Amino acid sequence: MPLASTTLIDLQTAATRSDYGLSTLRRHIRAGTIPAVKVKGRIYLRPEDLDTFTAPEPVHVPDSALQDWAARMAATAPAFRPEQRNIIMSAFASALGGE
């Protein structure tokens, strides 16, 4: 990573900014997951590289797996009280443009 005209942050700043611990960031730097440079004994990385590392990755789950999970949860869940059911039905109806 070239240092010229590149904004770098130190490891402590990266830890604070990302909510990852120093040891976790060091482990990922050692593994090559996060590009970094060492200057006079201190570790620096680009904010963009930290952002890329911390960006959420979408999880793709087949509809059938979600339906199976929902059926298992519904089978073990306690029954709703009538007032709870009315609140839930009202929320879904308004969200779906119904009554």
Side-chain angles (χ1 to χ4, degrees):
M1 168 183 2
L3 290 177
S5 72
T6 300
T7 302
L8 298 173
I9 57 174
D10 65 6
L11 196 57
Q12 182 62 53
T13 302
T16 301
R17 180 176 167 170
S18 67
D19 286 330
Y20 280 93
L22 291 170
S23 59
T24 300
L25 292 175
R26 283 191 184 102
R27 185 174 62 249
H28 284 283
I29 290 168
R30 233 183 348 268
T33 311
I34 306 172
V37 294
K38 200 171 201 177
V39 178
K40 295 184 181 181
R42 296 192 66 184
I43 298 172
Y44 295 91
L45 51 136
R46 295 183 324 157
E48 307 84 54
D49 292 330
L50 181 65
D51 293 342
T52 298
F53 173 72
T54 59
E57 294 184 25
V59 176
H60 300 285
V61 180
D63 286 348
S64 60
L66 290 174
Q67 290 168 341
D68 292 344
W69 174 84
R72 286 194 315 273
M73 295 298 107
T76 61
F80 288 117
R81 295 188 319 265
E83 60 273 11
Q84 291 173 315
R85 184 186 176 286
N86 291 341
I87 291 169
I88 292 168
M89 294 301 290
S90 174
F92 277 110
S94 62
L96 297 174
E99 302 168 11

